[in-house]
Amino acid sequence: MFEPWRQAWFVPVLIVTIGLPVLLIVFTELLRILERRESRAAGILRLIRNFVLPLGALLILISQIDNLALEVNWSRIVATVLGFVLILVVINMLNFALFATAETGSWRQRLPSIFIDIMKLVVIGVCFALLFQWVWGADVGGLFTALGVTSIVIGLALQNAAGSVVSGLLLLFEQPFKLGDWLDAGSVRGRVVQVNWRAVHIDTGNGTHIIPTASLAGSSFTNLSRVSQYFEATTTLHFAKTDAPSDVARLVRGIGRDLPLRIPDTPIDVVPTGAGSFAVSIAVVRPADEGPTIAVLLDWLWFAARRAGLSLDGERGDASTTPERTYAAAERVAKRLRCDEEDTAAIEQRGRLERFGTGETITRRGTTSTNLYFIIEGQVSLAAEDDLFAIPYHTLSAPESVGMGVYTQQPETDTARAVGVVTALSVPRDLVEGLIAKHPRLAIELGQASDNRRQLLAAAVARRAAAALAQRGGRGDT
């Protein structure tokens, strides 16, 4: 009587018959869970389900045929294919465990990709050699010896080149900089736009400078983007030795306060270095902001120093504000105010023709003006602004005036900035008060102008609030 359960092949066949479907069901459910979580381990599990399990079952069944003493080598062929798949699974599992789940900033995340590729090749080569030795009985000892000797010969022949490459790769592993950082490598200064194992590409603004990674690793450089709090835009200013350092520092800090790229509520350092020179440091967000910040500072200082009577770069005074032009501007203002000869002479004598650079602040919200500025040339933008918002609402031109706080004796309700270069006649407060006391109609005119600006400001604020409300409504906010 034939009793199959007593046969040597019965248990393996029973394991395959029952175990394979069960394992396929379990791995399929696990795969669905990982796919819903969008896990990168799903690919490894899919490889095991689709290839490792069927090939393993096939190998078990074919091995039973070998046990029946049939002259075939199918078991070795299937074992070899299964070995290849297992090597692929092992490589993917190592990559997932070591590098795919690496935390940001860890050594696993910083390791250059070329190191990972070399490690993969070594693991694959060793596994293939062991596979052929176990399955086919191949002698791989001689192969390893030959590869070792060849590696030594190649290493000695290319030790200088290989040393440079290794130095560059170690630099990438350390990662003292990343894409977007600003580097100062002595003769090269710019932003890193590309990094690979061979070279670092730096955008200097006048083209891309390519530095071999090994050269960068063998020299010192400065990462301008890695600062403790913020980046400092620095420059050196030169004034006359007779200019008081306190006056220069006050002027630079006042101008630097309004620089558009400066970080608010950060100090502006103005340090005298001797012989009329001053080292200036201004906090900005990134190194790319240094050039524009210094350019605007120097532009505004050119005008501000001349208004303050200081000698920037050895020059004092403004050729555009001659006494003749000042008298002509004073006559225009006096005519607008309908002043008599006595008042006209007072304005000509005490009025000052001053110029402001593009974007420079003429009067600031919350401060009390000491002068009333009559626009002679150019335009002035009015805006209600503070550290959180700015609402431009009106533009002034000649012969309108700026600095209504002189008339109201209250802090300014808006900030006035020059649109382009502006020339204005500055009239001191006491002279304005005397003109108002002598000519009451002047108070009425200035009051009407002040009321009109408040209405324009209120309308601009209302439009901004309505736009913000409509935007929130469009997003469905409540």
Side-chain angles (χ1 to χ4, degrees), residues 101-110 175:
T101 59
E103 298 179 357
T104 303
S106 64
W107 69 268
R108 294 180 297 166
Q109 190 268 339
R110 299 198 310 269
Q175 283 193 348

Side-chain angles (χ1 to χ4, degrees), residues 69-345:
L70 296 178
E71 294 296 332
V72 293
N73 286 323
W74 285 107
S75 60
R76 292 184 177 182
I77 296 174
V78 174
T80 302
V81 176
L82 178 60
F84 288 162
V85 177
L86 286 176
I87 291 173
L88 185 60
V89 171
V90 170
I91 293 298
N92 281 275
M93 291 180 66
L94 289 176
N95 183 68
F96 175 79
L98 294 178
F99 306 109
T101 59
E103 298 179 357
T104 303
S106 64
W107 69 268
R108 294 180 297 166
Q109 190 268 339
R110 299 198 310 269
L111 192 66
S113 59
I114 189 172
F115 280 177
I116 300 175
D117 294 337
I118 292 176
M119 292 169 57
K120 289 180 180 178
L121 289 176
V122 172
V123 172
I124 291 174
V126 173
C127 290
F128 275 178
L130 295 176
L131 176 64
F132 279 101
Q133 183 180 23
W134 291 339
V135 175
W136 298 96
D139 183 12
V140 296
L143 177 61
F144 282 127
T145 302
L147 289 176
V149 173
T150 304
S151 299
I152 293 174
V153 173
I154 295 176
L156 292 175
L158 301 177
Q159 56 181 335
N160 292 332
S164 299
V165 172
V166 171
S167 298
L169 292 176
L170 292 176
L171 177 69
L172 296 181
F173 176 73
E174 184 184 356
Q175 283 193 348
F177 56 84
K178 61 181 183 299
L179 288 179
D181 283 357
W182 280 71
L183 298 185
D184 186 352
S187 60
V188 180
R189 177 187 173 110
R191 183 171 59 90
V192 178
V193 295
Q194 183 179 346
V195 179
N196 54 51
W197 66 270
R198 190 189 67 84
V200 177
H201 297 232
I202 299 179
D203 182 7
T204 63
N206 293 319
T208 301
H209 193 92
I210 300 175
I211 303 178
T213 310
S215 299
L216 202 59
S219 61
S220 61
F221 58 88
T222 303
N223 189 336
L224 301 176
S225 298
R226 291 192 178 181
V227 293
S228 57
Q229 294 179 334
Y230 42 74
F231 183 80
E232 290 189 350
T234 60
T235 188
T236 301
L237 303 177
H238 302 279
F239 286 81
K241 297 179 181 179
T242 56
D243 292 335
S246 58
D247 293 340
V248 173
R250 188 183 307 110
L251 176 70
V252 174
R253 292 192 179 100
I255 292 296
R257 172 183 176 182
D258 298 320
L259 292 172
L261 296 179
R262 168 181 168 265
I263 300 177
D265 301 325
T266 55
I268 300 175
D269 295 329
V270 184
V271 180
T273 58
S277 297
F278 295 82
V280 180
S281 299
I282 301 172
V284 294
V285 175
R286 52 187 180 178
D289 297 337
E290 180 178 26
T293 298
I294 298 302
V296 174
L297 175 67
L298 296 178
D299 180 41
W300 290 358
L301 275 178
W302 191 93
F303 295 94
R306 283 153 177 78
R307 294 196 305 269
L310 300 177
S311 298
L312 178 62
D313 294 330
E315 296 184 3
R316 188 188 301 269
D318 188 350
S320 299
T321 57
T322 60
E324 293 77 13
R325 296 195 64 185
T326 302
Y327 292 152
E331 290 181 356
R332 289 177 58 185
V333 170
K335 184 177 181 180
R336 175 187 178 276
L337 299 178
R338 297 190 293 276
C339 296
D340 54 26
E341 294 183 358
E342 181 181 357
D343 296 331
T344 301

Side-chain angles (χ1 to χ4, degrees), residues 440-453:
R441 57 176 174 73
L442 182 58
I444 298 175
E445 293 178 0
L446 293 176
Q448 289 177 346
S450 180
D451 291 339
N452 291 338
R453 294 179 189 179

Side-chain angles (χ1 to χ4, degrees), residues 397-440:
S397 56
E400 296 179 283
S401 57
V402 178
M404 291 300 182
V406 170
Y407 158 69
T408 61
Q409 296 185 354
Q410 297 293 329
E412 297 290 336
T413 58
D414 48 37
T415 297
R417 298 185 184 276
V419 180
V421 178
V422 171
T423 303
L425 184 70
S426 171
V427 180
R429 172 186 294 177
D430 59 337
L431 181 56
V432 174
E433 292 175 348
L435 293 174
I436 291 175
K438 186 175 181 180
H439 306 284

